[in-house]
mmCIF file of all heavy atoms in Angstrom:
data_model
loop_
_atom_site.group_PDB
_atom_site.id
_atom_site.type_symbol
_atom_site.label_atom_id
_atom_site.label_comp_id
_atom_site.label_asym_id
_atom_site.label_seq_id
_atom_site.Cartn_x
_atom_site.Cartn_y
_atom_site.Cartn_z
ATOM 1 N N ASP A 556 99.777 97.685 86.378
ATOM 2 C CA ASP A 556 99.235 96.359 86.085
ATOM 3 C C ASP A 556 100.263 95.432 85.431
ATOM 4 O O ASP A 556 99.941 94.652 84.546
ATOM 5 C CB ASP A 556 97.973 96.468 85.221
ATOM 6 C CG ASP A 556 96.914 97.364 85.856
ATOM 7 O OD1 ASP A 556 96.641 97.177 87.058
ATOM 8 O OD2 ASP A 556 96.391 98.249 85.165
ATOM 9 N N GLU A 610 89.857 94.688 96.056
ATOM 10 C CA GLU A 610 90.860 95.498 96.744
ATOM 11 C C GLU A 610 90.130 96.617 97.475
ATOM 12 O O GLU A 610 89.311 97.315 96.881
ATOM 13 C CB GLU A 610 91.860 96.069 95.739
ATOM 14 C CG GLU A 610 92.569 94.970 94.967
ATOM 15 C CD GLU A 610 93.771 95.458 94.183
ATOM 16 O OE1 GLU A 610 93.829 96.662 93.856
ATOM 17 O OE2 GLU A 610 94.640 94.622 93.891
ATOM 18 N N VAL A 612 90.563 100.055 99.272
ATOM 19 C CA VAL A 612 91.517 101.162 99.392
ATOM 20 C C VAL A 612 90.985 102.177 100.397
ATOM 21 O O VAL A 612 89.801 102.519 100.370
ATOM 22 C CB VAL A 612 91.758 101.818 98.009
ATOM 23 C CG1 VAL A 612 92.517 103.134 98.146
ATOM 24 C CG2 VAL A 612 92.526 100.863 97.087
ATOM 25 N N ARG A 614 91.804 106.051 101.850
ATOM 26 C CA ARG A 614 92.573 107.271 101.526
ATOM 27 C C ARG A 614 92.383 108.349 102.579
ATOM 28 O O ARG A 614 91.262 108.592 103.023
ATOM 29 C CB ARG A 614 92.085 107.859 100.200
ATOM 30 C CG ARG A 614 92.144 106.883 99.051
ATOM 31 C CD ARG A 614 91.652 107.548 97.768
ATOM 32 N NE ARG A 614 91.548 106.573 96.699
ATOM 33 C CZ ARG A 614 92.542 106.216 95.895
ATOM 34 N NH1 ARG A 614 93.736 106.768 96.040
ATOM 35 N NH2 ARG A 614 92.366 105.319 94.945
ATOM 36 N N ALA A 618 95.554 111.174 95.963
ATOM 37 C CA ALA A 618 96.745 110.733 95.209
ATOM 38 C C ALA A 618 96.285 109.710 94.184
ATOM 39 O O ALA A 618 95.114 109.302 94.180
ATOM 40 C CB ALA A 618 97.790 110.114 96.139
ATOM 41 N N GLY A 619 97.201 109.319 93.320
ATOM 42 C CA GLY A 619 96.992 108.210 92.403
ATOM 43 C C GLY A 619 95.698 108.291 91.607
ATOM 44 O O GLY A 619 95.342 109.333 91.055
ATOM 45 N N SER A 620 94.978 107.160 91.575
ATOM 46 C CA SER A 620 93.779 107.073 90.731
ATOM 47 C C SER A 620 92.670 108.015 91.207
ATOM 48 O O SER A 620 91.841 108.451 90.420
ATOM 49 C CB SER A 620 93.259 105.631 90.672
ATOM 50 O OG SER A 620 92.665 105.249 91.889
ATOM 51 N N PHE A 621 92.664 108.340 92.513
ATOM 52 C CA PHE A 621 91.628 109.255 93.027
ATOM 53 C C PHE A 621 91.848 110.661 92.464
ATOM 54 O O PHE A 621 90.899 111.308 91.994
ATOM 55 C CB PHE A 621 91.666 109.286 94.566
ATOM 56 C CG PHE A 621 90.648 110.214 95.180
ATOM 57 C CD1 PHE A 621 89.367 109.765 95.457
ATOM 58 C CD2 PHE A 621 90.977 111.525 95.486
ATOM 59 C CE1 PHE A 621 88.422 110.624 96.021
ATOM 60 C CE2 PHE A 621 90.048 112.389 96.054
ATOM 61 C CZ PHE A 621 88.764 111.933 96.322
ATOM 62 N N GLU A 639 87.227 102.820 99.296
ATOM 63 C CA GLU A 639 86.793 102.496 97.922
ATOM 64 C C GLU A 639 87.029 101.009 97.668
ATOM 65 O O GLU A 639 87.945 100.414 98.236
ATOM 66 C CB GLU A 639 87.619 103.272 96.892
ATOM 67 C CG GLU A 639 87.453 104.771 96.923
ATOM 68 C CD GLU A 639 88.390 105.461 95.920
ATOM 69 O OE1 GLU A 639 89.440 104.903 95.565
ATOM 70 O OE2 GLU A 639 88.067 106.573 95.504
ATOM 71 N N PHE A 641 87.700 98.037 94.628
ATOM 72 C CA PHE A 641 88.099 97.775 93.245
ATOM 73 C C PHE A 641 88.066 96.276 92.997
ATOM 74 O O PHE A 641 88.326 95.486 93.906
ATOM 75 C CB PHE A 641 89.524 98.290 92.974
ATOM 76 C CG PHE A 641 89.657 99.781 93.108
ATOM 77 C CD1 PHE A 641 89.935 100.368 94.335
ATOM 78 C CD2 PHE A 641 89.477 100.609 92.011
ATOM 79 C CE1 PHE A 641 90.033 101.745 94.475
ATOM 80 C CE2 PHE A 641 89.578 101.986 92.122
ATOM 81 C CZ PHE A 641 89.855 102.556 93.366
ATOM 82 N N ASP A 649 91.856 96.821 87.205
ATOM 83 C CA ASP A 649 91.199 96.986 88.513
ATOM 84 C C ASP A 649 90.056 97.999 88.494
ATOM 85 O O ASP A 649 90.154 99.062 89.131
ATOM 86 C CB ASP A 649 92.219 97.431 89.584
ATOM 87 C CG ASP A 649 93.295 96.390 89.855
ATOM 88 O OD1 ASP A 649 93.150 95.247 89.402
ATOM 89 O OD2 ASP A 649 94.274 96.741 90.530
ATOM 90 N N ASP A 695 97.526 106.772 101.578
ATOM 91 C CA ASP A 695 96.500 105.791 101.240
ATOM 92 C C ASP A 695 97.092 104.386 101.313
ATOM 93 O O ASP A 695 98.312 104.227 101.446
ATOM 94 C CB ASP A 695 95.882 106.063 99.846
ATOM 95 C CG ASP A 695 96.912 106.027 98.728
ATOM 96 O OD1 ASP A 695 97.932 105.320 98.854
ATOM 97 O OD2 ASP A 695 96.701 106.710 97.708
ATOM 98 N N PHE A 696 96.250 103.390 101.290
ATOM 99 C CA PHE A 696 96.736 102.007 101.272
ATOM 100 C C PHE A 696 95.639 101.082 100.771
ATOM 101 O O PHE A 696 94.468 101.453 100.696
ATOM 102 C CB PHE A 696 97.224 101.547 102.661
ATOM 103 C CG PHE A 696 96.153 101.532 103.724
ATOM 104 C CD1 PHE A 696 95.475 100.360 104.034
ATOM 105 C CD2 PHE A 696 95.823 102.688 104.416
ATOM 106 C CE1 PHE A 696 94.492 100.336 105.006
ATOM 107 C CE2 PHE A 696 94.830 102.679 105.400
ATOM 108 C CZ PHE A 696 94.160 101.503 105.688
ATOM 109 N N LYS A 697 96.068 99.873 100.426
ATOM 110 C CA LYS A 697 95.146 98.862 99.892
ATOM 111 C C LYS A 697 95.157 97.636 100.797
ATOM 112 O O LYS A 697 96.226 97.202 101.245
ATOM 113 C CB LYS A 697 95.619 98.480 98.485
ATOM 114 C CG LYS A 697 94.799 97.454 97.760
ATOM 115 C CD LYS A 697 95.291 96.033 97.841
ATOM 116 C CE LYS A 697 96.716 95.782 97.490
ATOM 117 N NZ LYS A 697 97.120 94.369 97.699
ATOM 118 N N ASP A 717 104.668 98.697 98.888
ATOM 119 C CA ASP A 717 104.102 98.393 97.564
ATOM 120 C C ASP A 717 102.609 98.706 97.553
ATOM 121 O O ASP A 717 102.021 98.958 96.498
ATOM 122 C CB ASP A 717 104.237 96.892 97.241
ATOM 123 C CG ASP A 717 105.580 96.533 96.635
ATOM 124 O OD1 ASP A 717 106.469 97.402 96.620
ATOM 125 O OD2 ASP A 717 105.741 95.383 96.187
ATOM 126 N N SER A 718 101.992 98.634 98.731
ATOM 127 C CA SER A 718 100.529 98.753 98.798
ATOM 128 C C SER A 718 100.068 99.975 99.605
ATOM 129 O O SER A 718 98.879 100.114 99.870
ATOM 130 C CB SER A 718 99.932 97.475 99.389
ATOM 131 O OG SER A 718 100.379 97.282 100.712
ATOM 132 N N MET A 719 101.027 100.817 99.991
ATOM 133 C CA MET A 719 100.676 102.040 100.741
ATOM 134 C C MET A 719 101.406 103.217 100.098
ATOM 135 O O MET A 719 102.480 103.051 99.539
ATOM 136 C CB MET A 719 101.210 101.982 102.181
ATOM 137 C CG MET A 719 100.681 100.878 103.037
ATOM 138 S SD MET A 719 101.355 100.995 104.740
ATOM 139 C CE MET A 719 102.911 100.137 104.564
ATOM 140 N N ARG A 720 100.843 104.410 100.251
ATOM 141 C CA ARG A 720 101.606 105.625 99.934
ATOM 142 C C ARG A 720 102.039 106.247 101.255
ATOM 143 O O ARG A 720 101.193 106.511 102.120
ATOM 144 C CB ARG A 720 100.779 106.615 99.119
ATOM 145 C CG ARG A 720 100.610 106.194 97.682
ATOM 146 C CD ARG A 720 100.148 107.332 96.774
ATOM 147 N NE ARG A 720 100.259 106.926 95.383
ATOM 148 C CZ ARG A 720 99.255 106.333 94.709
ATOM 149 N NH1 ARG A 720 98.087 106.132 95.284
ATOM 150 N NH2 ARG A 720 99.431 105.970 93.450
ATOM 151 N N ASP A 733 105.649 104.592 94.538
ATOM 152 C CA ASP A 733 105.637 105.690 93.560
ATOM 153 C C ASP A 733 107.058 106.032 93.108
ATOM 154 O O ASP A 733 107.266 106.549 92.007
ATOM 155 C CB ASP A 733 104.947 106.935 94.134
ATOM 156 C CG ASP A 733 103.426 106.904 93.914
ATOM 157 O OD1 ASP A 733 102.958 106.006 93.167
ATOM 158 O OD2 ASP A 733 102.723 107.760 94.470
ATOM 159 N N ARG A 736 107.220 103.652 90.304
ATOM 160 C CA ARG A 736 106.231 103.980 89.270
ATOM 161 C C ARG A 736 106.696 105.173 88.432
ATOM 162 O O ARG A 736 106.564 105.174 87.221
ATOM 163 C CB ARG A 736 104.888 104.349 89.897
ATOM 164 C CG ARG A 736 104.100 103.202 90.506
ATOM 165 C CD ARG A 736 102.687 103.657 90.885
ATOM 166 N NE ARG A 736 101.937 102.637 91.607
ATOM 167 C CZ ARG A 736 101.823 102.588 92.937
ATOM 168 N NH1 ARG A 736 102.377 103.510 93.691
ATOM 169 N NH2 ARG A 736 101.142 101.613 93.505
HETATM 170 N N1 UDP B 1010 97.298 99.718 95.354
HETATM 171 C C1 UDP B 1010 97.797 98.426 95.411
HETATM 172 N N2 UDP B 1010 97.510 97.545 94.403
HETATM 173 C C2 UDP B 1010 96.750 97.888 93.332
HETATM 174 C C3 UDP B 1010 96.238 99.204 93.265
HETATM 175 C C4 UDP B 1010 96.538 100.089 94.287
HETATM 176 O O1 UDP B 1010 98.468 98.071 96.375
HETATM 177 O O2 UDP B 1010 96.524 97.043 92.452
HETATM 178 C C5 UDP B 1010 97.602 100.684 96.418
HETATM 179 C C6 UDP B 1010 98.507 101.809 95.947
HETATM 180 O O3 UDP B 1010 99.859 101.495 96.181
HETATM 181 C C7 UDP B 1010 98.052 102.968 96.796
HETATM 182 C C8 UDP B 1010 96.565 102.692 97.040
HETATM 183 O O4 UDP B 1010 96.382 101.301 96.831
HETATM 184 O O5 UDP B 1010 98.725 102.994 98.033
HETATM 185 C C9 UDP B 1010 95.643 103.469 96.142
HETATM 186 O O6 UDP B 1010 96.015 103.249 94.805
HETATM 187 P P1 UDP B 1010 95.307 104.017 93.598
HETATM 188 O O7 UDP B 1010 93.885 103.605 93.514
HETATM 189 O O8 UDP B 1010 95.576 105.466 93.735
HETATM 190 O O9 UDP B 1010 95.957 103.404 92.315
HETATM 191 P P2 UDP B 1010 97.358 103.674 91.594
HETATM 192 O O10 UDP B 1010 97.327 105.062 91.091
HETATM 193 O O11 UDP B 1010 98.385 103.417 92.624
HETATM 194 O O12 UDP B 1010 97.341 102.633 90.526
#
Side-chain angles (χ1 to χ4, degrees):
D556 305 312
E610 301 192 336
V612 169
R614 304 180 187 274
S620 72
F621 179 88
E639 295 176 335
F641 296 88
D649 296 348
D695 60 28
F696 63 96
K697 180 264 308 176
D717 275 9
S718 63
M719 298 183 275
R720 285 197 169 91
D733 273 351
R736 288 190 186 97

